Amino acid sequence: MTTALPGSQFPHRKLWKILSLAMLLCVNFTLPTSAQEKDKLWRTLSVSGRGVETIPTTLAQVSLGVEIQGKTAQEVQQEAARRSSAVVAFLKSQNVEKLQTTGIRLNPVYSYTNNVQRITGYAANNTVSFRIPTEKAGTLLDDAVKAGATEINGISFVANDEAIASAQKQALKKATQDAQQQADAVFSALGLKSKEVVSIQVNNASAPPPPMFLRAEAAKVADASTPVVGGEQQLEASVTLQISY
């Protein structure tokens, strides 16, 4: 005689059979999905593509300064400040971009006599950096020397922000296409068919730092027009694709 659960019309033994069948069906339905996920995880190809975009530079990044030497710290600092203010005022009148002070120094100047060190004066140095269209850089450097600059610390060339942003997108596009073409070549050689891209890793396009020209004494080029010629800038990007097959 079978015993029914209280409040139920089904026998105890029949209820356990129904529960066992339900659990079995659940296992049968979930196992294939798990197997598919494992198969999808293991049967993948990873490829990395590279893209390079070259664009012309249109801006000159310039660093120049004022250096003054004298007997007292107060004397040289005041003269350096006066000349630096004149240079900054001139640069502002030329509407240069990203003008900023990059250094202010005041150092003692030493001499050595019979192995004895003594202070003979002081040297003050103020430097600024800015950007200017390349075709205007030569004339502007000459005029900056006339305004009071005594040093041209360096000059490099870059593209404008809009051109760089556009080039970054193009470099990423080329990197993606390169990765896809590599994957297609591998699948073709092995007689396999790709299914879908399951993972994408993007390394943002970046530009290497522009080369800096050697430092020059501004006083030596003040009497001649300074030629300034720009060049090109490269941006690189890489994309890694993981493709199932």
Side-chain angles (χ1 to χ4, degrees):
M1 181 178 179
T2 59
T3 305
L5 294 175
S8 173
Q9 298 179 356
F10 295 98
H12 181 72
R13 187 175 300 173
K14 184 176 294 186
L15 179 60
W16 277 110
K17 287 183 178 181
I18 294 173
L19 290 175
S20 299
L21 180 60
M23 292 175 64
L24 181 60
L25 289 173
C26 181
V27 171
N28 288 337
F29 278 116
T30 57
L31 282 177
T33 304
S34 178
Q36 289 174 2
E37 290 297 329
K38 289 183 178 180
D39 183 63
K40 186 176 180 180
L41 178 64
W42 287 104
R43 292 177 60 87
T44 58
L45 171 69
S46 293
V47 287
S48 294
R50 179 173 175 267
V52 178
E53 186 74 5
T54 302
I55 54 176
T57 59
T58 56
L59 296 173
Q61 177 78 40
V62 181
S63 173
L64 55 79
V66 171
E67 183 170 344
I68 301 296
Q69 293 190 12
K71 292 294 184 180
T72 67
Q74 183 178 7
E75 174 191 348
V76 297
Q77 183 62 27
Q78 287 178 348
E79 180 62 16
R82 185 188 68 81
R83 288 202 186 185
S84 297
S85 296
V87 172
V88 169
F90 165 72
L91 294 175
K92 287 182 177 180
S93 72
Q94 300 301 304
N95 297 318
V96 299
E97 300 177 8
K98 300 185 178 182
L99 175 63
Q100 62 178 348
T101 299
T102 55
I104 298 177
R105 297 197 308 271
L106 176 63
N107 300 314
V109 177
Y110 297 97
S111 68
Y112 296 86
T113 304
N114 297 324
N115 294 325
V116 176
Q117 172 182 293
R118 67 187 186 92
I119 297 176
T120 58
Y122 292 85
N125 184 284
N126 293 356
T127 57
V128 296
S129 68
F130 58 91
R131 286 185 178 183
I132 191 74
T134 303
E135 67 272 12
K136 298 180 180 180
T139 301
L140 183 137
L141 288 175
D142 298 336
D143 292 339
V145 172
K146 295 177 183 178
T150 61
E151 296 178 338
I152 301 173
N153 297 318
I155 181 170
S156 59
F157 302 99
V158 295
N160 60 51
D161 294 340
E162 293 77 11
I164 290 175
S166 178
Q168 286 176 335
K169 295 177 182 177
Q170 289 299 317
L172 285 170
K173 183 177 179 179
K174 288 181 178 180
T176 304
Q177 293 172 342
D178 180 40
Q180 184 65 65
Q181 290 170 1
Q182 291 184 55
D184 292 341
V186 172
F187 287 134
S188 177
L190 297 176
L192 300 172
K193 290 185 177 181
S194 62
K195 292 182 179 180
E196 61 179 338
V197 177
V198 297
S199 174
I200 302 174
Q201 181 179 343
V202 176
N203 298 321
N204 288 329
S206 60
M212 293 291 292
F213 281 77
L214 295 178
R215 173 173 170 168
E217 293 295 332
K220 295 179 181 179
V221 298
D223 295 333
S225 179
T226 305
V228 177
V229 181
E232 293 181 328
Q233 183 176 5
Q234 279 192 343
L235 291 97
E236 299 182 3
S238 64
V239 173
T240 300
L241 303 179
Q242 195 171 18
I243 304 173
S244 63
Y245 58 91

